[in-house]
Amino acid sequence: MLGAFANAFRTPDLRRKLLFVLFIITIFRLGSQVPAPGVNVRNVQDCLAGVGDNSLYSLINLFSGGALLQLTIFALGIMPYITASIILQLLVVVIPRLEALKKEGQAGQTKITQYTRYLTLGLAVLQASGIVALARTPGSLIQGCNNELLYDTGIASFLVLVVTMTAGTAVIMWFGELITERGVGNGMSLLIFTQVISGFPSSMWAVRISRGWWVFGIVLVIGLVVVAAVIFMEQGQRRIPVQYARRMVGRKMFGGSSTYIPLKVNQAGIIPVIFASSLMYLPALAAQFNANSGAAWVAWINDYLVNGSHPLYMALFFALIIFFTYFYVSITFNPEEVADNMKKYGGFIPGIRAGKPTEDYLAYVLSRITLPGSLYLGIISLIPLIAFALINANQNFPFGGTSILIMVGVALDTVKQIESQLQQRNYEGFLR
């Protein structure tokens, strides 16, 4: 594998692409450490050292590489873009105009991408406004710490911070598009990977400090097993064979080829985990805003739905992941549309008649293969919660949940793209 990396850097154009990606990632990480205007850096660092991670914002903080609670210019990270992309994917199913754009090919996809950018900026304004509003009140953004996080809490300072964080999100979005166009791999995915992996060493070292070398070694071994299992499941797919009949168009014969429809075991990716995590944060957020009311429902939420180590929290989180896996797969893979396209171009599944029988067969296979995929996502996502209960690790436990799915998934995809470019130049690839 090291020899393959050496071959990749010996190829001039591929070396330029890889160095360009590293350059953008370096700027990206530097921006994640530069504080926004008006932030009291010393007080912020004292608060983070004293209370650790805020569980209410751990998902967004994960995608920002720790920049969120540090109130840097890239504090929002890539989360607004992820949210906007998910919303647009859902709206494509329910809005006929967007569905028509999707079917127009590259021109329609370009238009949807433009809508995603606008929605990203709108969400960035909303998220930045909420974060800055919390930062203006001591003890709200970082619970348990009453230090002043901002030098000035006036309207002018508020607007400057919101504009700065929104502009940071726009720059991050631009970085991702630059990597996609001029580098190797998907730009947004690589930026997410960079932010997630940036907190990995500190999370591992926190386990060593809090629990000692023995637990650290056990966690490392379990982590390697989890990574191997994730790689195995991410590579798993059901290939449905498709045969295209030969047909005469004018004086030329077309068709007669064989191909397959790849249905991945994890067809939904990490989206169900993000949906479930976001939904689980809503009750805790509502309880935080009504903390002084003394209501019984606030106490119940604080007892059962805030602590991730509680069995009820784990069971509800697991159930939500399974539900959102089926939900997301149902809106992203349409058996009726696939069956109609196959019938239009003369394709059929051997032993299955074209049309409605093909649609029913695809729906049946998809339903069967989604079950192990949803269970796999649920189990992987519960690993950090179980670790929190057993070894008192922090909520950003390195092996498990969203972080490990992102790290392995993006790494595999990027390696495959480099592999394909190496094969075009007759070099030895990575995946042998």
Side-chain angles (χ1 to χ4, degrees):
M1 185 171 179
L2 292 177
F5 272 109
N7 287 334
F9 274 95
R10 289 193 192 106
T11 309
D13 57 338
L14 190 54
R15 180 175 64 247
R16 283 194 296 270
K17 291 182 178 181
L18 293 174
L19 291 177
F20 178 77
V21 172
L22 293 176
F23 173 71
I24 293 295
I25 288 176
T26 301
I27 298 177
F28 178 51
R29 285 303 301 158
L30 287 175
S32 299
Q33 304 301 319
V34 177
V39 174
N40 191 326
V41 179
R42 176 172 296 178
N43 284 352
V44 169
Q45 295 299 329
D46 290 342
C47 287
L48 293 178
V51 302
D53 296 323
N54 187 321
S55 61
L56 284 177
Y57 303 101
S58 60
L59 181 66
I60 302 178
N61 205 41
L62 171 67
F63 286 104
S64 68
L68 170 68
L69 296 182
Q70 297 180 34
L71 298 175
T72 67
I73 59 175
F74 288 169
L76 300 182
I78 204 72
M79 195 62 183
Y81 181 84
I82 296 175
T83 307
S85 300
I86 294 172
I87 291 175
L88 259 297
Q89 287 183 5
L90 297 176
L91 292 180
V92 164
V93 182
V94 298
I95 299 179
R97 170 59 180 162
L98 293 178
E99 187 175 3
L101 284 176
K102 183 180 179 182
K103 294 179 179 179
E104 288 180 6
Q106 185 60 38
Q109 190 59 45
T110 301
K111 200 71 175 178
I112 293 177
T113 302
Q114 194 69 20
Y115 292 155
T116 305
R117 294 170 184 161
Y118 295 147
L119 183 57
T120 298
L121 294 180
L123 292 174
V125 171
L126 292 176
Q127 291 186 12
S129 300
I131 291 171
V132 176
L134 290 173
R136 296 170 71 189
T137 305
S140 295
L141 181 63
I142 306 178
Q143 295 180 351
C145 180
N146 295 320
N147 293 346
E148 294 284 348
L149 302 183
L150 305 178
Y151 288 112
D152 182 12
T153 58
I155 297 298
S157 177
F158 176 87
L159 293 177
V160 168
L161 281 170
V162 170
V163 171
T164 301
M165 291 182 181
T166 303
T169 298
V171 172
I172 291 173
M173 192 164 48
W174 179 55
F175 282 169
E177 294 179 357
L178 282 178
I179 292 176
T180 302
E181 293 175 4
R182 303 182 185 180
V184 178
N186 183 282
M188 295 300 179
S189 297
L190 283 174
L191 293 182
I192 297 171
F193 174 85
T194 302
Q195 296 294 62
V196 171
I197 202 70
S198 64
F200 189 83
S202 60
S203 299
M204 283 295 297
W205 195 245
V207 174
R208 208 289 304 173
I209 293 176
S210 62
R211 306 299 293 176
W213 284 106
W214 278 103
V215 174
F216 176 83
I218 294 174
V219 169
L220 190 61
V221 172
I222 293 175
L224 295 176
V225 174
V226 171
V227 169
V230 170
I231 293 175
F232 177 78
M233 293 297 293
E234 291 294 325
Q235 298 283 73
Q237 60 180 223
R238 169 76 180 272
R239 296 181 176 182
I240 300 178
V242 178
Q243 182 73 36
Y244 285 92
R246 296 174 63 86
R247 54 195 178 117
M248 182 72 71
V249 179
R251 293 186 177 182
K252 294 184 179 180
M253 186 72 71
F254 292 92
S257 61
S258 298
T259 183
Y260 61 87
I261 301 174
L263 295 180
K264 294 183 62 177
V265 175
N266 182 21
Q267 189 82 3
I270 65 168
I271 301 301
V273 181
I274 296 175
F275 277 4
S277 300
S278 302
L279 199 60
M280 291 299 295
Y281 287 141
L282 294 180
L285 194 60
Q288 181 187 12
F289 288 144
N290 295 274
N292 298 325
S293 65
W297 65 270
V298 174
W300 189 87
I301 289 177
N302 288 329
D303 290 338
Y304 298 104
L305 297 183
V306 173
N307 187 358
S309 61
H310 196 280
L312 180 60
Y313 183 99
M314 294 185 187
L316 187 57
F317 186 48
F318 188 81
L320 284 174
I321 289 176
I322 294 178
F323 168 77
F324 282 122
T325 301
Y326 275 93
F327 171 75
Y328 191 74
V329 169
S330 67
I331 66 172
T332 55
F333 186 91
N334 189 345
E336 181 180 0
E337 182 180 348
V338 175
D340 289 343
N341 289 335
M342 289 172 55
K343 186 177 181 180
K344 184 187 303 182
Y345 295 103
F348 63 94
I349 300 173
I352 307 294
R353 288 182 297 174
K356 180 64 174 174
T358 298
E359 176 189 341
D360 295 339
Y361 177 76
L362 290 174
Y364 170 77
V365 174
L366 188 65
S367 176
R368 293 288 295 272
I369 204 172
T370 302
L371 177 60
S374 62
L375 295 176
Y376 148 74
L377 283 177
I379 293 172
I380 293 296
S381 301
L382 285 181
I383 289 177
L385 301 181
I386 296 173
F388 181 76
L390 294 181
I391 66 172
N392 199 26
N394 62 30
Q395 292 284 358
N396 291 329
F397 185 71
F399 292 107
T402 311
S403 58
I404 199 69
L405 292 171
I406 292 173
M407 287 190 290
V408 173
V410 175
L412 286 175
D413 181 65
T414 305
V415 166
K416 286 180 180 178
Q417 293 199 33
I418 299 176
E419 160 85 2
S420 65
Q421 297 200 28
L422 285 175
Q423 288 180 345
Q424 292 175 5
R425 296 164 178 81
N426 299 319
Y427 279 122
E428 180 183 358
F430 292 147
L431 304 176
R432 295 194 59 185

